[in-house]
Amino acid sequence: MKILFRQVLALIGLFLVILSIPIGFLTPFLPVGLPLGILGAALLARNSVWGQQLIRHLLDRYPKLNKITPDWLLKLITGSGHSSGHETQ
């Protein structure tokens, strides 16, 4: 039952990430798509192994993304802080 629940949460996260793109284009002056994308990425990375691997691969591939992302957001998405040793005080 727990595995099924985590899979459902991962699918909801994937759906939110996909849904945030057109919503972001349709509401350019109201930041509605960004919170949906962040919530979806957090659900996807926290509830699926491949989602977490994908996020970590993107952070390793684009180190600037890792540097500009706040530590609280990385902890929310991946469960840990900055992976490159860059800590913000």
Side-chain angles (χ1 to χ4, degrees), residues 32-87:
V32 177
L34 183 62
L36 282 178
I38 291 172
L39 179 64
L43 282 174
L44 187 62
R46 296 290 283 187
N47 293 302
S48 68
V49 174
W50 62 270
Q52 191 167 21
Q53 289 174 349
L54 176 69
I55 297 293
R56 289 196 186 274
H57 174 70
L58 286 174
L59 290 174
D60 289 340
R61 186 171 180 181
Y62 301 104
K64 187 174 183 180
L65 185 65
N66 194 16
K67 290 179 184 176
I68 64 171
T69 308
D71 200 35
W72 65 267
L73 184 58
L74 281 177
K75 285 181 183 179
L76 177 70
I77 293 174
T78 62
S80 63
H82 290 279
S83 62
S84 66
H86 173 75
E87 292 292 328

Side-chain angles (χ1 to χ4, degrees), residues 4-20 36-37 39-45 47 50:
L4 180 65
F5 183 67
R6 289 180 68 110
Q7 288 176 348
V8 169
L9 285 176
L11 285 174
I12 291 171
L14 181 62
F15 176 73
L16 286 175
V17 168
I18 293 170
L19 185 67
S20 70
L36 282 178
L39 179 64
L43 282 174
L44 187 62
N47 293 302
W50 62 270

